[in-house]
Amino acid sequence: MPDSAASPSAAPARVRDLRLDFFRGLAMFIILIAHTPGNFLTLWIPARWGFSDATEIFVFCSGMASAIAFGSTFDRAGFALGTARVAYRVWQVYWAHVGLFFATLALAVFLTDLEITGRNYWGQLNLWMIFVESDKWENPNMLLSFMTLRWVPNYFDILPMYMIVLMMMPVVMALSRVDLRLVAAFVVAVWVLGQETVTRALGLPYLAFPAEPWSDRSWFFNPFGWQLIFFTGFAFMRGWLPKPPVSALLIGLALFLVIANIPLSNIGVRVLGLEWARDWREAMAPLIDKSGFGLLRYTHFLALAYLCWVAAGDKGSRLLSRGAGALARLWDGVLAIILKVGQQSLAVFVVSMFTARLMGFGMDVMGRDVLTTLAVNLAGFGVLIATAYVAGWFKTQPWRVRRTA
């Protein structure tokens, strides 16, 4: 990183990059597939070919988008109002988290009570503690524990992580006004303290939030680990980190890292049957750990992101069609849809988590043959697309437009 932060007047111009919305939009579709129970497409999503997955795309791109939306507010309106805007966003994400939980819980209860499939859908989400008494927990306190984030069920753990990372942004912005090296030191130090194996070996305090009052389980997505990828995207978009050059050497190195990773991936173990890869993964578990965001996940994602960044061209120029034929028009239409989904990622994400449970129920009823599974997934994609366009329409505040005679 450079030695010191640039002044607001010297901050680089914030121009919306097509690549940001494009890859975040793709991540939304992948996340829907990954969260649908019994979806065979999950076996072939990008996460099965490497250490990193769509979660990294979502968090990295969210960091980039936050640099545009919130970083510019700090520059333009000052530290206090910038912090206030971040707090407002955390407030919005909190209620999105609460709404998602209760909507999904109500759906799970409704589907279970239908008794069509004989499955317990709230049990599948490991929400037994709400309905079943036990010496380990007290039912009247479950909702309070949830509302105060002392109970974070695994299926509902991405948004809490995102909230904590957002709350770290004012600290990062304050440090950037002193020296950008302090930002780097802070982000790296917090990441180290979010690695359970490292802190245990060094005798350092382990930073993590308890996921439930009756056990020592931590949040599955440890925000102190995942903030590393968020603030990497944030730093690139702020101009604190320079754009990597497009060179044959870097492209070759990134390709090597991505391709060499395949034998060590889920595909290597499950499809190629490489037992040594299974042993390697067990031995290197801390480096590919998803909860704490292990270092090899970070390395793999950066290599893959660089290749995608180069392939898409400057500001996504290669994503745009160059012709005027039917295929070009079709691609332009698909691109517009993906960009719209990426632009409305919070609304789309919340709806996707709810829709995924419905899709799983639909396949429980209709079966999981290839055609049925593809049809259900396409229907789910349609829901996400509709959500993006409706959310975008509401954001335009059409009621504020004065009608003319």
Side-chain angles (χ1 to χ4, degrees):
M1 287 186 177
D3 289 344
S4 60
S7 64
S9 61
R14 272 50 169 200
V15 179
R16 194 77 173 186
D17 194 320
L18 290 181
R19 292 170 293 193
L20 171 61
D21 294 327
F22 177 78
F23 290 112
R24 191 160 56 166
L26 287 182
M28 291 299 102
F29 291 111
I30 297 171
I31 287 173
L32 175 67
I33 292 173
H35 285 91
T36 301
N39 190 353
F40 78 82
L41 294 182
T42 304
L43 299 175
W44 304 101
I45 59 177
R48 303 295 176 252
W49 298 85
F51 300 135
S52 61
D53 56 30
T55 311
E56 277 86 353
I57 302 175
F58 176 73
V59 177
F60 180 79
C61 290
S62 294
M64 298 178 70
S66 295
I68 298 172
F70 305 119
S72 59
T73 302
F74 280 93
D75 294 336
R76 184 184 64 255
F79 185 82
L81 289 179
T83 301
R85 186 174 181 189
V86 172
Y88 178 64
R89 185 58 169 173
V90 171
W91 178 253
Q92 290 177 314
V93 175
Y94 173 78
W95 288 110
H97 168 66
V98 171
L100 170 64
F101 174 79
F102 284 109
T104 307
L105 176 62
L107 174 66
V109 172
F110 173 72
L111 296 180
T112 301
D113 290 347
L114 287 179
E115 297 184 350
I116 295 176
T117 65
R119 297 176 183 267
N120 186 324
Y121 291 96
W122 48 263
Q124 286 182 353
L125 287 170
N126 197 28
L127 300 178
W128 300 90
M129 56 286 299
I130 295 181
F131 303 96
V132 179
E133 293 186 5
S134 172
D135 295 336
K136 293 183 179 180
W137 56 78
E138 299 178 17
N139 294 62
N141 292 332
M142 291 308 302
L143 295 183
L144 178 61
S145 295
F146 172 78
M147 296 296 290
T148 55
L149 301 183
R150 291 185 298 121
W151 175 44
V152 179
N154 274 346
Y155 190 73
F156 306 94
D157 46 15
I158 296 182
L159 292 182
M161 175 266 286
Y162 183 45
M163 281 186 274
I164 300 301
V165 174
L166 284 176
M167 285 191 281
M168 296 172 65
M169 195 187 306
V171 177
V172 167
M173 292 302 297
L175 292 174
S176 72
R177 296 186 174 190
V178 180
D179 194 312
L180 288 181
R181 288 172 296 191
L182 291 177
V183 174
F186 172 77
V187 169
V188 172
V190 170
W191 176 81
V192 169
L193 294 177
Q195 308 304 304
E196 185 173 9
T197 305
V198 175
T199 54
R200 187 186 302 118
L202 298 178
L204 297 173
Y206 172 52
L207 294 182
F209 290 111
E212 49 198 23
W214 56 86
S215 78
D216 58 358
R217 183 175 72 86
S218 301
W219 289 10
F220 180 78
F221 289 101
N222 187 340
F224 302 110
W226 279 84
Q227 54 83 32
L228 176 63
I229 191 67
F230 178 92
F231 286 115
T232 300
F234 190 91
F236 273 122
M237 191 57 71
R238 288 286 294 171
W240 297 346
L241 288 174
K243 294 180 180 179
V246 178
S247 70
L249 177 61
L250 282 180
I251 292 174
L253 178 60
L255 273 173
F256 172 77
L257 289 173
V258 171
I259 294 174
N261 173 250
I262 294 176
L264 303 173
S265 68
N266 176 273
I267 292 294
V269 174
R270 177 174 54 86
V271 178
L272 303 179
L274 303 177
E275 289 300 322
W276 63 266
R278 187 190 307 275
D279 296 337
W280 184 93
R281 289 176 66 91
E282 292 178 358
M284 298 296 175
L287 295 178
I288 60 176
D289 176 48
K290 189 170 184 176
S291 293
F293 189 58
L295 190 59
L296 287 182
R297 298 183 68 91
Y298 186 60
T299 304
H300 176 261
F301 174 79
L302 290 182
L304 188 59
Y306 175 75
L307 293 175
C308 293
W309 180 78
V310 171
D314 185 45
K315 299 195 182 303
S317 59
R318 294 197 188 98
L319 296 174
L320 302 171
S321 65
R322 301 300 182 186
L327 288 178
R329 290 194 297 272
L330 175 62
W331 169 248
D332 286 341
V334 171
L335 177 63
I337 290 172
I338 295 174
L339 294 177
K340 178 63 72 172
V341 171
Q343 291 164 4
Q344 309 299 330
S345 59
L346 178 59
V348 170
F349 174 80
V350 170
V351 171
S352 75
M353 300 294 281
F354 180 87
T355 303
R357 310 316 296 184
L358 272 177
M359 291 167 60
F361 172 75
M363 288 189 284
D364 286 341
V365 175
M366 296 182 292
R368 284 180 165 78
D369 59 89
V370 174
L371 290 179
T372 301
T373 300
L374 293 178
V376 169
N377 279 275
L378 286 175
F381 290 174
V383 172
L384 300 196
I385 294 167
T387 299
Y389 277 93
V390 171
W393 180 79
F394 274 109
K395 285 187 177 180
T396 64
Q397 300 183 17
W399 48 84
R400 294 175 66 102
V401 178
R402 181 174 298 175
R403 290 185 177 273
T404 57

